[in-house]
Amino acid sequence: MKRFAKVYVEISNICNLSCSFCPGTTRKPKRMNTQEFEIVLNKIKPYTDYIYFHLLGEPLCHPDLEKFLQIADKMNFKVIITTNGTLLNKNKDILMNSKSHYKTVISLHSFEANDNKFSFNDYLENCFKYAKLAENKKIVVLRLWNNGGKDSLNDEILSKLENYFPKPWVEERNGTRIREKIYIQYGDKFDWPSLENDNVEEKIFCYGLRDQIGILADGTVVPCCLDNNGEINLGNIFEKNLEEIINSPKAQNIYNGFSNRTACEELCKRCSFVRKF
């Protein structure tokens, strides 16, 4: 049976921010309920141990976050939460008390992408206090994916971070390790794939359907975490088993295409993120 390194489960496509780097979605606002979430986890359990509360939306906005983590606890999943960081203080006890919550990824570049709609110092203080609380308990990744974009405040962010985690820091291949389980991760700004993008490239490789799949809040299964509108609809997890979905002719065509470094779907041909591979 095929195994995925990660499955993205979009528990909600609703967010409390409107970041300039995020394309948003044309889909209707939707939150999974606990029954739907449990169905998803039961269906993906044979295929992965790692679930990411991510695709679009802010997972810490979900009113049933604690219940979701309790369900994941019982099923022995490891949960990675990607967040803009604004609600970490409100949810810190829920995250710390969860056995399944394994890693928090905080997009620090969210601040610059919101035209300073909230206090810079308060925002960073909440994020860094959470990282300090999680030290030696959970993995924390502080993302600065804004190289080539709005990266003007990065030096100030790193200076403030040093007050919480004094140097020396260790430079590694994929970023900077500032404590045993706390990392800074840098990345270039990128444009999300869109059918409206003019730049078309067919000779590409992607890990979609190879080490990851995504499940949108309405149950739509997509090949990767960048299909924000569900353009590549492989089937619905609430209607079919995952085995049937990933072995469908459409899914297999995508998988085999990438094996030959060829994009079969129009959205994939217009994705700049694949240039990283």
Side-chain angles (χ1 to χ4, degrees):
M1 180 178 288
K2 182 172 180 56
R3 298 276 293 177
F4 294 103
K6 49 197 169 187
V7 174
Y8 292 92
V9 179
E10 183 190 68
I11 62 173
S12 171
N13 62 16
I14 301 166
C15 189
N16 62 329
L17 295 182
S18 182
C19 296
S20 60
F21 58 77
C22 177
T25 182
T26 58
R27 293 177 284 134
K28 293 180 180 179
K30 164 69 178 167
R31 291 189 182 104
M32 280 189 190
N33 59 41
T34 52
Q35 181 182 12
E36 291 170 334
F37 181 71
E38 200 157 5
I39 290 171
V40 169
L41 263 56
N42 275 306
K43 288 193 173 183
I44 68 174
K45 181 59 182 173
Y47 299 89
T48 191
D49 294 321
Y50 295 87
I51 53 175
Y52 286 63
F53 286 4
H54 184 48
L55 210 138
L56 283 186
E58 170 52 55
L60 300 189
C61 281
H62 201 296
D64 291 325
L65 175 67
E66 186 171 17
K67 293 179 182 177
F68 282 14
L69 289 173
Q70 289 169 351
I71 293 169
D73 287 350
K74 291 177 182 177
M75 298 184 69
N76 295 316
F77 278 103
K78 291 186 177 180
V79 177
I80 296 87
I81 292 179
T82 300
T83 173
N84 58 42
T86 56
L87 300 173
L88 282 168
N89 187 54
K90 178 182 177 181
N91 291 281
K92 62 181 184 297
D93 291 338
I94 292 174
L95 299 178
M96 288 298 105
N97 292 333
S98 169
K99 179 183 68 174
S100 63
H101 175 233
Y102 164 75
K103 180 194 298 186
T104 310
V105 180
I106 307 172
S107 297
L108 291 180
H109 46 280
S110 298
F111 174 81
E112 290 185 77
N114 279 276
D115 297 324
N116 303 343
K117 291 179 181 176
F118 41 90
S119 165
F120 180 53
N121 289 327
D122 290 347
Y123 171 70
L124 291 182
E125 184 175 325
N126 283 335
C127 292
F128 297 161
K129 279 185 176 179
Y130 173 81
K132 197 70 181 174
L133 178 66
E135 187 175 0
N136 298 321
K137 302 180 187 75
K138 312 284 185 182
I139 296 174
V140 177
V141 177
L142 303 167
R143 268 187 188 167
L144 287 169
W145 280 16
N146 56 5
N147 295 335
K150 293 186 175 182
D151 53 7
S152 59
L153 289 178
N154 284 5
D155 287 343
E156 188 174 352
I157 290 172
L158 295 176
S159 177
K160 291 180 182 297
L161 179 60
E162 194 176 353
N163 292 330
Y164 286 83
F165 301 98
K167 290 181 177 179
W169 297 347
V170 180
E171 298 300 324
E172 297 183 339
R173 179 185 174 190
N174 295 319
T176 304
R177 177 164 52 85
I178 61 177
R179 288 298 183 269
E180 186 61 32
K181 291 187 174 184
I182 303 177
Y183 303 84
I184 307 167
Q185 185 184 78
Y186 303 97
D188 295 332
K189 177 182 177 294
F190 68 92
D191 294 322
W192 284 59
S194 170
L195 294 176
E196 296 179 359
N197 290 349
D198 293 328
N199 189 18
V200 177
E201 196 168 343
E202 294 189 12
K203 291 297 179 182
I204 57 175
F205 174 79
C206 178
Y207 287 100
L209 284 172
R210 196 167 299 270
D211 81 340
Q212 64 168 279
I213 55 169
I215 300 173
L216 303 182
D218 67 354
T220 299
V221 178
V222 293
C224 80
C225 62
L226 293 178
D227 189 352
N228 59 304
N229 283 320
E231 301 284 359
I232 308 175
N233 184 340
L234 300 176
N236 194 290
I237 197 76
F238 300 135
E239 300 169 359
K240 299 178 180 179
N241 291 324
L242 190 56
E243 185 77 8
E244 183 181 357
I245 292 171
I246 62 176
N247 285 312
S248 68
K250 184 173 184 177
Q252 287 299 299
N253 191 43
I254 294 169
Y255 182 94
N256 292 331
F258 285 137
S259 296
N260 295 311
R261 307 195 74 86
T262 301
C264 300
E265 294 287 329
E266 290 302 315
L267 187 69
C268 302
K269 296 174 186 178
R270 292 164 169 79
C271 178
S272 62
F273 193 82
V274 293
R275 295 170 193 154
K276 294 176 177 285
F277 306 136

